[in-house]
Amino acid sequence: MKLRINLSKPLVLVTTIFSIGVNLVSPVMANELRVIELYKDSQAIVDLSKGQQLRIKILSNPSTGYRWELKSPNDLSKCLKVKEKPYKQSNGTPNRVGTAGYQIWTIKSKCEEGSSELLRFEYIRVWEANVSPTSYAELLIKN
């Protein structure tokens, strides 16, 4: 099942939770940064106009040896500017080893209308070769 989220127009709703695995936190102003949370084994579609930014958060626990890796086409930089932030522990949790938190990416669209990019995130141990990811999350960004 896929979910389509239109971020090109202002949204009045501040937080909406979808049962298929996407949490959208949308500011009221259309040109402000949007934040979505992807869950493991989920898919979503987001409309993002040229110049708009989107922050993607995925729950992670690096103490297990796993981390989310962005697996996308090599020409991603033609259309999207992607910046990964270091792992951040969840709010309200003390700085302890083994505490879950988030991996965060910020995306800025450089694409013209009518283009799209598929972002695939895989939960893997980077040192293990030829092993399938334990989980994935996909986000189709349409302009």
Side-chain angles (χ1 to χ4, degrees), residues 57-82:
K57 296 171 47 175
I58 309 178
L59 189 62
S60 180
N61 190 342
S63 69
T64 62
Y66 286 92
R67 62 172 282 124
W68 289 99
E69 289 288 315
L70 176 57
K71 305 288 186 183
S72 291
N74 293 334
D75 63 351
L76 184 65
S77 61
K78 289 180 184 177
C79 198
L80 299 173
K81 181 178 179 182
V82 180

Side-chain angles (χ1 to χ4, degrees), residues 1-122:
M1 177 187 285
K2 292 185 180 180
L3 171 68
R4 183 172 176 80
I5 304 168
N6 184 344
L7 295 180
S8 62
K9 298 190 175 22
L11 298 175
V12 177
L13 196 55
V14 175
T15 302
T16 305
I17 299 175
F18 302 94
S19 63
I20 64 167
V22 176
N23 180 14
L24 167 65
V25 179
S26 178
V28 175
M29 300 303 296
N31 57 357
E32 290 184 23
L33 177 71
R34 266 81 174 185
V35 179
I36 66 168
E37 182 174 340
L38 295 178
Y39 296 97
K40 67 179 187 170
D41 303 325
S42 67
Q43 296 176 320
I45 300 173
V46 174
D47 286 327
L48 193 64
S49 299
K50 185 175 181 178
Q52 283 189 314
Q53 293 187 72
L54 177 68
R55 181 161 295 148
I56 302 165
K57 296 171 47 175
I58 309 178
L59 189 62
S60 180
N61 190 342
S63 69
T64 62
Y66 286 92
R67 62 172 282 124
W68 289 99
E69 289 288 315
L70 176 57
K71 305 288 186 183
S72 291
N74 293 334
D75 63 351
L76 184 65
S77 61
K78 289 180 184 177
C79 198
L80 299 173
K81 181 178 179 182
V82 180
K83 182 178 168 184
E84 182 178 0
K85 285 192 171 183
Y87 166 82
K88 181 181 176 195
Q89 286 188 330
S90 299
N91 291 340
T93 59
N95 290 329
R96 294 186 186 164
V97 174
T99 303
Y102 293 93
Q103 282 182 252
I104 301 168
W105 290 263
T106 302
I107 309 290
K108 183 173 183 177
S109 176
K110 303 186 294 181
C111 306
E112 297 300 327
E113 190 172 331
S115 59
S116 64
E117 285 287 344
L118 177 65
L119 302 181
R120 181 177 172 90
F121 300 90
E122 295 181 349

